[in-house]
Each structure stands twice: as structure tokens, then as C-alpha cells.
Amino acid sequence: MLPQVILFNGVSVDGRMDFGSGKIDMGIYYELASRWNADAMLSGSDTILAADGPAPAPDAETVTPPAEYHPLAVPHLVVVDSRGRIRNWNSLRSQPFWRNIIVLCSQATPADYVADLARRGIDHIIAGEDHVDLRAALEELNSRFGINSVRVDSGGTLNGVLLRAGLVSEVSVLLDPCMVGGSSPRSMFTAPDLTSEEGVIPLKLIHLERIGENLVWLRYEVAR
Ligand SMILES: NC(=O)c1ccc[n+]([C@@H]2O[C@H](COP(=O)([O-])OP(=O)(O)OC[C@H]3O[C@@H](n4cnc5c(N)ncnc54)[C@H](OP(=O)(O)O)[C@@H]3O)[C@@H](O)[C@H]2O)c1
């Protein structure tokens, strides 16, 4: 069975995720995010690498066990990383936000990287040949780990792949009252241009809330 997949992003009024969304109070963002009480948070490798600064420190060779504090109430962290780029597992494991880390790899993921995950006791799923087959990986997250709901905390690329594959059940935005503009693809939905209306994804508004003075929280169900 496929888990429920929810996209949630802080965006400017023109849907961009750079500059404007950076001004959103992260305390408010994560308080709203916690209301889904999702079983897992899913991020792309670029999101994880961006969060750790331009040059994340590589792990020491030593294997650090997961932190002691892993209550079942906190979600799994699921990371898409078919190219084996994330190496700062000790830093991620030391954070109290995750119950466990699960890495999504593909047949193309370097074998030494997969072996290193196993050595460190980090769970991983191999799905797909080149990129990760996200449908198959989501199904395995459900069957193997009992994950029924996934909140995606990622940029437009991973959102775009999930949306175009028809895997998203809910789209939610926290609107920051600003306009950013620009021609680079920094919206919350980055994907090849459509050639017909057929690919437009219809949404149904299910929640609308003013947050504080200036923010608006919108939740939409994918209507197909
Ligand atoms: N404002 C917000 O709410 C918010 C939230 C999160 C992140 N962000 C920002 O978003 C930026 C990162 O976004 P991004 O769009 O560059 O990257 P991203 O959303 O992290 O997406 C990159 C991921 O997509 C995967 N991918 C690409 N094509 C795929 C395919 N065909 N099939 C399966 N997986 C595929 C890549 O997999 P591989 O690794 O396997 O290649 C990679 O893991 C950062 O600057 C971050 O700060 C903003």
C-alpha cells in the first residue's frame, strides 16, 4: 500500500522557495508541520546538503550509534540519495528530530556507499535502476516499516517528481507575504513544461488559516 504523501513548503506569494520563504519563522513552520503527525519526513539529497551548509563535514570512519532518545512519536527521516552524496550521518543521527534514518538508493548507487550504510546500521531501500523508483520505495516504506504517512520537506525537484508520478495526496503552503520573481526554476514544483492541460493537477481546498499577522496556511487535497 502507498502511504499518504503530503507536500509542505514555505513559499513567497509567487510560489518561490528562495529568499522570501527564508524569512518564515522556522518555529511556526515546524509547529504547523508537526500537526500532520506524519510517520516519516522525506527529503531530497540537495535539501539535506543545503541544510548542512556548502561543505558538510564528512563522517569520521568510526560508526556512531544512533542517539539514545528515539521515542516512537517522532518521525523517521527518509532521504533520497541514489548518487551516494550524503556522508554526514553522525550529524544527522545526533539530531533529536528523527526516530531513525532510512536512505532510498537505486541499482546505480555506488556499492561502497551501500556497504557503508550497512556497516553503520543505517536502514536503506534499493528501488529503481538509475534514479530511485519512488512508487516502489514508498510501497516498501509502508510494508517494511509500517509508514502510512509521509510529509515531504524538500525543494521543487523532488516535489516535481512526486507530483508528476501521481504520488501526492495533499499539497500545503505557508505563504510569506512577498513577491520574489526571477527566471530560475525555484518554485515548489519544478518539472518539464507541460504540452497540454492534461497534466495540470487539480486541487481542492481543505483548510485555510491566517497565522499571526501576515502568514496564510493553505491545505489542498489532490483532486484525482
Ligand atoms: N521553502 C521550503 O519550504 C523548503 C523546504 C525544503 C527545501 N527547500 C530548499 O530547496 C532547495 C533544494 O531543492 P532542490 O529542488 O534543488 O532539490 P530536492 O528537492 O532536494 O530534490 C533533489 C532530489 O530529487 C531526486 N530526484 C531528482 N530526479 C529524480 C527522479 N527522476 N526520480 C527520483 N528522484 C529524483 C534526487 O535524487 P538523487 O539524490 O538520487 O539524485 C535528489 O535526492 C534547497 O535550497 C532547500 O533549502 C526549501
Side-chain angles (χ1 to χ4, degrees), residues 14-31:
D14 54 329
R16 287 184 68 99
M17 312 226 314
D18 46 350
F19 300 110
S21 64
K23 288 201 220 89
I24 290 175
D25 180 328
M26 283 296 107
I28 293 173
Y29 177 84
Y30 283 110
E31 192 281 311

Side-chain angles (χ1 to χ4, degrees), residues 159-209:
N159 287 351
V161 178
L162 290 163
L163 282 162
R164 284 282 162 87
L167 295 169
V168 177
S169 18
E170 180 175 335
V171 175
S172 177
V173 288
L174 184 59
L175 279 184
D176 187 43
C178 68
M179 298 288 282
V180 175
S183 57
S184 62
R186 294 304 308 274
S187 89
M188 67 173 290
F189 183 2
T190 307
D193 286 344
L194 291 176
T195 50
S196 78
E197 269 187 41
E198 213 177 298
V200 174
I201 299 167
L203 302 174
K204 180 181 166 208
L205 183 67
I206 54 171
H207 185 82
L208 160 63
E209 187 176 337

